[in-house]
Structure formats: C-alpha cells, structure tokens
Amino acid sequence: MLKAEIITSGTELLLGEIADTNTSYIAGQLAGLGINLYYTSTVGDNFERYSGVLKQAWERSDLIITTGGLGPTQGDITREVVSALLGEKMTIDPGLKEELTQFFTRMHIDMPDNNLKQATLIPSAQALHNTAGTAPGWWVEKEGRTIIVLPGPPREMQTMWQNAVRERLEKKRSAYIMSRVIKTWGMAEANVDLLVTPFLKSANPTLAMYANPDGIRLRITARADSLKRAEELVAGRERDIRELLKDKIWGIDDDTLERVAAKRLLQKKKTLAVAETFTGGLLARSLSSVMELKELFRGGLVIMGGARAGWELGESSPETAIKLARLAREKFRAEIGLAIDGPEVTGQSLPGGKVFIAIEGDGNDEVFPPGYLGRLDQMAWRTVNHALFLLKDFVDR
Ligand code: ATP
Ligand code: MG
C-alpha cells in the first residue's frame, strides 16, 4: 500500500511567521484519495538539513510531496536538493525556457538570469505547468517512488494540485475510503464506549468516537478496493450501531438537530413557538436559521431575569417551564410550545439542578430536567440541543 509523506520548506514556517496551510491542504486531499499519509515535516531553506529530510523520506515512503523553494532566489533550493539526492544533473529545458521568457515579455520586464533555473529539469522529472505563477513543479518518478515538487504560495500550489496532480494520483490510489458520522444524543461518552466496544477494535471498518455539543458522534471509516465495497462495509457497521443505539441516534453526516427537528415539523405541518430564559434566544435563533421552517416557526419569547416578575414567573421549576411553553403557544397561536427555563445566572457558570425543558401541545405536555451545570455558554448550547432533540420526538407522536 502506498505510503505518502509531505515535506514543506521555508524558514518563515519555522519562525512561525506563516502558518503551514499547505500541509493541511495536501493531507486532506490525500485522505480523500485514499492514500495513506504517514509523515509530515517542515524544514528551513538549508541545503544539508533539507537533503537529510528528503533522504529519510526517500528511504521510508513511496510518495513524497514537497512544497516551497521553487522561486528564483538562492534561498530557493528544492530543485537542487532533489537533483542531488537522485544524483541527476539539472539542465535547462528549451520549452520551459520559452514559456518563462514569454511570461516576462507579457509583463514587459526583462527576465533576470536567476529565473532561468525555473526552466530546469532533471532526466527523471516532468514539468507540472504553473498557471498561477512562474515556477513549474516537477513530477519525478524513479526506482518505484514518486516525488511531486510543488511551489510554496498556496494558491499556486492548489491550482497545480487540481490541474496537474490530483488526477494522476487518483490512478495510483490503493484504496477507496468512505466515512459516515452517526450522531447521537442523550448518552454519556463512557456508556457509548461500553456499548460499541467490540467494534472499536475492528481494523476495517474502523470506529472512532468523540463528543460534540450536539452529542456523542461515531465515525465509521471503511477502506476497500472499490467504492461499492467500502459503502457496503460502512452500511453494515451502521446497521450494527443503529441496533445498539436505536432512538439515541438522531442524524448522520451533515444533519443538524435544528434541521432534523424542522423536517418532522414540516412532515406533520405543525406550527411551533418557543419561550426561553437563560439561553437568551439561542433556541429561537437555531430554529430561525432553517429557511424551510419560516411558515411553521412562529416566533419566540426571550425573558431575562428582571422581567420574570412581569410575566408572573416564579423560580425555575417544572411548573414554570410548562407555563412558559403554554405562554409561547398562546402568544403566537402555535400548535406546539417549546420552552427552556433556568436559574438566575450571576456568573459565567450555571448552577446545577435548575434547568428545565418543557413541550406542550395537543393536550400533551412533558417536562425534562436535564440537570445541566457548568460553563454557561456550553450549557446554553447543550440545553438548546436537548430541547431540539425532544421536539423531534414530540412531533413524531
Ligand atoms: P516563490 O517563487 O514565491 O519564492 P517558492 O515556491 O519558492 O515561491 P517559498 O519561497 O518557499 O515558495 O514560499 C513563498 C511564499 O509562499 C511564502 O512566503 C509563504 O507566503 C507561502 N508559503 C510557502 N510555503 C507555505 C506553506 N507550507 N503554507 C502556507 N504558505 C506557504
Ligand atoms: Mg521562494
């Protein structure tokens, strides 16, 4: 299986003057192509050290991608380093020289002699056309390995990648990789971990788990020699996980809780209004961000501390939460009222045991005490997500 390695060069990267975005771009592209990336490194514009890093890469990787150091100055040494490693001599390519000369003529400037080295090649290299700048890249094939030499400026590098590299690499790909993210709500990470333990050890498909404000997510990743097979592996594991986590699963991939809840409202054509206190409008904002919902989502009340008395709301409690849900429904003449209530917040954190979510409609009502406590901004989002999760199920009934 192909092993890839990225080397970015530039002393300014080591000084922290610019962030190395080339590595992350290329890493993302390789992942999409199903090519294994094993190492990345960054080296300054120093011949000895650059040669050392490239030699190590040559010994341990099949595909090496470099960026930077293709400019005309003496500090730009990538071509020299590659030629030295392979023991090949750089010579000026007449075709490349002609292109370069024409570029300078079009710009109405005399071409400095220094630029001529941008028109060089070695016997194992083919030029990669640069449509966004002057320095061509190199595609080097030798002894079963490939070195792809790309310019440093991200725009030039990315353009070259898309025009001259991606398609060629696709032919080298060793596998198809497919991923699916399963999104859950209402389970602690440790519990999910216990449930899916047997699958965590599987090498293909793999399963990874991570926490997010909208719940615990599980990422299934499969590798196969055809896309169809990779899809089958993912689908199979998804079925296993659905069987285990059942209604804790609310979505996959790009789904958001507000869109999933909105979809149910649209299916049932139910109108909705909300009322919220310590979340300060987040619930209304989430729902109003779903364009399709604009006929069904009627509006929201945001009642902050000092105004509670005016609405005849006591301390946060299950009864107050229901009262808020009913208030929202009546004020906006909606079929469903959804409310979040919490305690008076004085600092940056939420005291425990005083958050309530209520849903009311069609003669039914329900209250949930999620028991959240902790950093206010995080808890506000968590409560909103919880409310959306409950809404989705309530509409279904
Ligand atoms: P030039 O012909 O512009 O000199 P080059 O191929 O020689 O291009 P470098 O001299 O190494 O490339 O880098 C030129 C500029 O490109 C850097 O100053 C920086 O702005 C950007 N750059 C280089 N490498 C990276 C990287 N890894 N990530 C993000 N930007 C980079
Ligand atoms: Mg340069």
Side-chain angles (χ1 to χ4, degrees):
M1 201 171 296
L2 210 58
K3 280 181 241 149
E5 170 155 4
I6 301 171
I7 303 173
T8 54
S9 73
T11 304
E12 59 294 11
L13 293 164
L14 294 180
L15 290 172
E17 283 168 6
I18 55 163
D20 180 2
T21 57
N22 286 350
T23 295
S24 51
Y25 179 83
I26 296 168
Q29 293 287 319
L30 290 173
L33 286 167
I35 295 174
N36 283 317
L37 175 63
Y38 278 21
Y39 305 97
T40 71
S41 37
T42 301
V43 65
D45 304 313
N46 171 286
F47 191 86
E48 303 291 308
R49 290 191 286 272
Y50 198 160
S51 297
V53 170
L54 188 66
K55 185 160 186 292
Q56 186 186 32
W58 181 259
E59 279 158 10
R60 65 187 182 186
S61 302
D62 319 293
L63 172 64
I64 303 163
I65 299 161
T66 73
T67 78
L70 293 188
T73 72
Q74 306 207 8
D76 293 308
I77 54 171
T78 303
R79 288 184 202 84
E80 286 80 355
V81 169
V82 173
S83 312
L85 175 81
L86 303 180
E88 296 189 14
K89 196 170 172 307
M90 287 162 62
T91 53
I92 290 175
D93 179 88
L96 291 179
K97 183 180 170 186
E98 181 57 27
E99 270 179 47
L100 203 61
T101 313
Q102 281 177 8
F103 176 85
F104 279 93
T105 310
R106 275 202 308 279
M107 304 289 284
H108 301 290
I109 27 179
D110 293 330
M111 182 170 76
D113 280 348
N114 285 350
N115 274 90
L116 264 183
K117 75 173 190 168
Q118 296 188 307
T120 54
L121 280 181
I122 52 173
S124 304
Q126 287 175 298
L128 299 172
H129 203 56
N130 188 338
T131 53
T134 57
W138 281 4
W139 182 291
V140 181
E141 295 271 1
K142 194 169 185 172
E143 294 167 17
R145 298 182 188 70
T146 306
I147 308 180
I148 302 171
V149 176
L150 302 173
R155 199 174 63 88
E156 291 182 34
M157 186 279 290
Q158 292 177 20
T159 312
M160 195 176 285
W161 183 277
Q162 293 303 336
N163 294 339
V165 176
R166 197 172 48 84
E167 218 169 295
R168 262 173 105 167
L169 278 183
E170 228 160 72
K171 301 202 178 95
K172 280 187 179 292
R173 81 153 83 212
S174 51
Y176 288 82
I177 295 189
M178 248 205 79
S179 285
R180 181 158 309 143
V181 178
I182 313 277
K183 301 182 172 179
T184 73
W185 183 264
M187 299 213 298
E189 201 167 358
N191 286 337
V192 181
D193 187 83
L194 278 178
L195 279 170
V196 301
T197 299
F199 302 135
L200 290 171
K201 297 197 185 85
S202 151
N204 190 28
T206 58
L207 186 66
M209 212 176 62
Y210 50 102
N212 207 67
D214 60 11
I216 306 294
R217 296 181 178 183
L218 296 137
R219 170 182 267 115
I220 307 167
T221 306
R223 164 188 291 278
D225 50 16
S226 75
L227 198 57
K228 185 163 169 284
R229 182 69 193 126
E231 263 162 9
E232 282 167 7
L233 286 168
V234 167
R237 186 49 36 92
E238 182 180 354
R239 274 194 300 278
D240 297 333
I241 290 173
R242 283 189 184 276
E243 230 162 75
L244 282 172
L245 306 184
K246 297 194 178 73
D247 55 359
K248 303 287 184 194
I249 296 170
W250 58 262
I252 60 162
D253 295 339
D254 299 335
D255 288 343
T256 63
L257 271 164
E258 55 269 27
R259 280 208 301 269
V260 168
K263 209 164 138 190
R264 308 294 169 94
L265 286 168
L266 284 161
Q267 276 163 2
K268 301 271 162 102
K269 294 196 173 60
K270 293 268 186 203
T271 53
L272 172 75
V274 304
E276 56 194 309
T277 59
F278 80 101
T279 46
L282 275 183
L283 180 59
R285 173 63 199 135
S286 294
L287 288 160
S288 63
S289 72
V290 186
M291 277 307 145
E292 296 81 359
L293 210 55
K294 61 181 196 298
E295 297 302 322
L296 294 179
F297 176 47
R298 290 285 164 89
L301 297 168
V302 181
I303 301 174
M304 299 311 285
R308 290 182 81 93
W311 291 87
E312 292 173 4
L313 299 176
E315 280 211 355
S316 71
S317 67
E319 294 72 35
T320 318
I322 296 237
K323 189 168 173 178
L324 276 167
R326 193 164 298 147
L327 198 62
R329 196 166 63 73
E330 284 164 11
K331 288 280 169 210
F332 292 97
R333 298 179 198 289
E335 286 153 288
I336 299 176
L338 175 62
I340 288 174
D341 193 17
E344 180 91 46
V345 180
T346 45
Q348 279 310 303
S349 74
L350 192 68
K354 295 183 177 170
V355 174
F356 301 93
I357 301 169
I359 304 189
E360 206 258 335
D362 273 344
N364 292 317
D365 57 32
E366 282 182 299
V367 190
F368 303 84
Y372 292 143
L373 74 166
R375 252 183 62 187
L376 183 61
D377 52 349
Q378 286 177 349
M379 292 312 122
W381 272 116
R382 191 169 290 182
T383 311
V384 165
N385 283 326
H386 194 155
L388 292 170
F389 181 79
L390 296 170
L391 172 64
K392 154 187 98 64
D393 285 347
F394 191 83
V395 179
D396 257 357
R397 246 171 284 153

